[in-house]
């Protein structure tokens, strides 16, 4: 851990130095402006380190969630500042190639404030967007759906990431949003929390108030394992009345018809917590409509030809902050929405919360509510 902290501190220091040079030194601002820039950027370096310490559980986030909020939000501001100064750098290179060196400083004097305003504006928009999860209606039509399951509604809640930044009030908002839809089944798709059970376990307390006549079910996500308290978290969920699927399946009856709900541990699980799709689907009646729950969309690659009628996933956040959405396909077969992976229809949620920075830019948070239709 100490090596990780040292590397992180060094990388953030390099980022801070680079931004100071490009935003304050290169445009040739007066000494007072450069000193103010160095002071502000130095404080953001310390703030971001503190935020990471709270995110990991090394510091108790209950003593200053606003510090974690500010430090993580700054990362998005810094990202857009980097993009902006990179664009300015290209413009300065063009000026140099055109042999117009006298234009460089005026260009930077005008462009640098615009970059700062744009970075703050984009981040402010992203903070607002991330705070407003909404319901996304999805209809899945299948000719093999038993008549008794026609119209069954499943709410999919993934990637809450409650804990260091989002407290129980955010979880309450999501729970109220879900309950207002009156789903038959609620599925929690993992990454519900970050941190330690003893520090942030209370942030999930409102999940006990989820209402679904056919049950509330959950699978683990990679962040439950990152916390190194996966088993403790799953046990905690069960105290809230949630049925955790650990590489297993359950039968759900409705209208004289049967639905099989199977769930696996996240792909990052190891040992007894390793993901095991074969075990989860073992003994499933081939005539049963089967919904498979796995945190990562690429888990669909492990259930090809196994009769899965629908997979529910999250994990991608839809990229969360533009333009990272274009990198997601390098790791996952689906960004968001309904798509087919091999012979498995996969619904991937962008998630209700946000990891790290409480910011979403062009990747709005959502709670998909799936209606199964026969047809």
């Amino acid at each position: 851990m100490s090596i990780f902290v040292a590397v992180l501190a060094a990388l953030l220091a390099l980022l801070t130095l680079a931004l100071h040079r490009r935003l304050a030194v290169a445009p040739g601002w007066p000494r007072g402006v450069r000193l103010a820039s160095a002071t502000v950027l130095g404080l953001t370096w310390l703030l971001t380190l503190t935020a990471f310490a709270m995110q990991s559980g090394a510091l108790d986030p209950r003593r200053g969630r606003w510090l974690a909020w500010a430090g993580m939000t700054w990362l998005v501001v810094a990202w857009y500042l980097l993009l902006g100064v990179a664009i300015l750098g290209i413009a300065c290179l063009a000026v140099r190639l055109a042999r117009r060196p006298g234009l460089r400083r005026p260009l930077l004097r005008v462009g640098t404030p615009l970059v700062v305003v744009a970075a703050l504006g984009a981040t402010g928009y992203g903070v607002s967007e991330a705070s407003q999860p909404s319901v996304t209606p999805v209809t899945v039509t299948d000719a093999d759906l038993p008549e008794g399951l026609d119209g069954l509604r499943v709410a999919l809640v993934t990637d809450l990431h409650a804990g260091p930044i989002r407290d129980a009030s955010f979880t309450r908002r999501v729970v109220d949003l879900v309950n207002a839809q009156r789903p038959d089944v609620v599925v929690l798709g993992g990454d519900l929390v970050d941190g330690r059970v003893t520090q942030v376990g209370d942030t999930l307390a409102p999940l006990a108030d989820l209402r679904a006549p056919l049950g509330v079910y959950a699978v683990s996500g990679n962040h439950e394992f990152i916390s190194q308290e996966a088993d403790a978290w799953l046990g905690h969920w069960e105290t809230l009345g949630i049925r955790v699927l650990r590489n297993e399946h359950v039968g759900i009856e409705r209208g004289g018809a049967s639905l099989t709900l199977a769930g696996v541990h996240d792909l990052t699980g190891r040992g007894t917590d390793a993901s095991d799709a074969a075990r989860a689907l073992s003994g499933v009646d081939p005539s049963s409509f089967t919904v498979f729950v796995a945190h990562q969309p690429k888990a669909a690659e492990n259930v090809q030809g196994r009769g899965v009628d629908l997979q529910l996933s999250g994990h991608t956040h839809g990229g969360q902050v533009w333009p990272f959405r274009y990198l997601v396909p390098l790791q996952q077969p689906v960004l968001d929405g309904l798509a087919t992976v091999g012979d498995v229809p996969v619904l991937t949620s962008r998630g209700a919360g946000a990891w790290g920075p409480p910011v979403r830019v062009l990747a709005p948070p959502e709670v998909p509510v799936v209606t199964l239709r026969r047809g």
Side-chain angles (χ1 to χ4, degrees):
M1 180 61 71
S2 59
I3 295 177
F4 170 77
V5 171
V7 171
L8 177 64
L11 289 175
L12 290 174
L14 289 174
L15 170 63
T16 301
L17 178 61
L19 288 176
H20 175 65
R21 290 185 61 83
R22 302 311 304 173
L23 296 174
V25 178
W29 299 118
R31 183 175 181 276
V33 174
R34 297 198 303 272
L35 180 60
S37 169
T39 301
V40 170
L41 289 172
L43 289 174
T44 61
W45 173 80
L46 182 60
L47 196 61
T48 306
L49 277 180
T50 301
F52 271 104
M54 290 184 173
Q55 192 82 17
S56 68
L59 291 178
D60 192 335
R62 293 172 294 183
R63 298 181 179 179
R65 274 196 171 88
W66 69 271
L67 291 171
W69 186 95
M72 286 297 176
T73 300
W74 165 251
L75 285 179
V76 178
V77 177
W79 166 247
Y80 283 122
L81 288 175
L82 279 177
L83 287 182
V85 297
I87 293 172
L88 280 179
I90 294 172
C92 288
L93 178 60
V95 166
R96 180 179 179 183
L97 293 176
R99 298 182 180 179
R100 302 288 298 275
L103 293 178
R104 180 178 179 275
R105 178 160 290 184
L107 174 64
L108 290 175
R109 287 286 182 99
V110 173
T112 299
L114 291 177
V115 164
V116 173
V117 170
L120 292 173
T123 303
Y125 160 78
V127 168
S128 176
E129 183 169 85
S131 68
Q132 303 176 61
S134 60
V135 170
T136 301
V138 180
T139 299
V140 174
T141 303
D142 193 310
D144 296 327
L145 183 72
E147 186 174 347
L149 298 179
D150 188 37
L152 184 138
R153 288 159 54 80
V154 181
L156 173 61
V157 180
T158 75
D159 303 279
L160 270 177
H161 290 286
I165 295 174
R166 302 291 199 196
D167 61 14
S169 65
F170 181 77
T171 306
R172 169 62 60 189
R173 288 173 55 197
V174 174
V175 167
D176 290 345
L177 185 68
V178 171
N179 286 343
Q181 299 302 307
R182 297 186 177 180
D184 298 295
V185 181
V186 173
V187 172
L188 307 176
D191 279 12
L192 302 184
V193 71
D194 290 298
R196 298 174 180 173
V197 177
T198 55
Q199 292 178 345
V200 295
D202 62 325
T203 62
L204 296 184
L207 293 180
D209 296 327
L210 284 168
R211 296 291 176 259
L214 300 181
V216 179
Y217 304 88
V219 297
S220 58
N222 59 302
H223 278 256
E224 277 75 47
F225 290 104
I226 287 174
S227 74
Q228 298 184 347
E229 293 190 352
D231 291 334
W233 274 119
L234 300 188
H236 181 67
W237 297 356
E238 289 174 327
T239 68
L240 302 176
I242 298 167
R243 172 71 158 87
V244 179
L245 299 176
R246 297 174 171 87
N247 297 325
E248 58 189 323
H249 67 266
V250 295
I252 296 176
E253 301 292 329
R254 180 180 184 267
S258 174
L259 178 145
T260 296
L261 185 67
V264 291
H265 283 304
D266 183 67
L267 296 173
T268 56
R270 295 292 181 268
T272 57
D273 292 330
S275 181
D276 190 340
R279 177 182 169 189
L281 295 171
S282 177
V284 171
D285 183 351
S287 66
S288 173
F289 189 88
T290 300
V291 177
F292 181 70
V293 186
H295 180 63
Q296 299 189 43
K298 68 179 181 181
E301 298 167 358
N302 298 329
V303 292
Q304 297 296 306
R306 292 182 178 270
V308 170
D309 297 288
L310 177 65
Q311 176 173 312
L312 302 178
S313 296
H315 184 66
T316 69
H317 294 210
Q320 187 164 324
V321 174
W322 187 90
F324 291 108
R325 64 181 291 113
Y326 301 111
L327 299 180
V328 172
L330 299 177
Q331 205 257 343
Q332 297 291 334
V334 181
L335 175 67
D336 59 6
L338 191 61
T340 301
V341 178
D343 65 358
V344 179
V346 179
L347 175 63
T348 302
S349 170
R350 290 188 298 271
W355 177 76
V359 182
R360 281 178 172 267
V361 179
L362 302 182
E366 66 174 349
V367 176
V369 176
V370 183
T371 301
L372 301 180
R373 288 297 181 189
R374 177 182 173 88

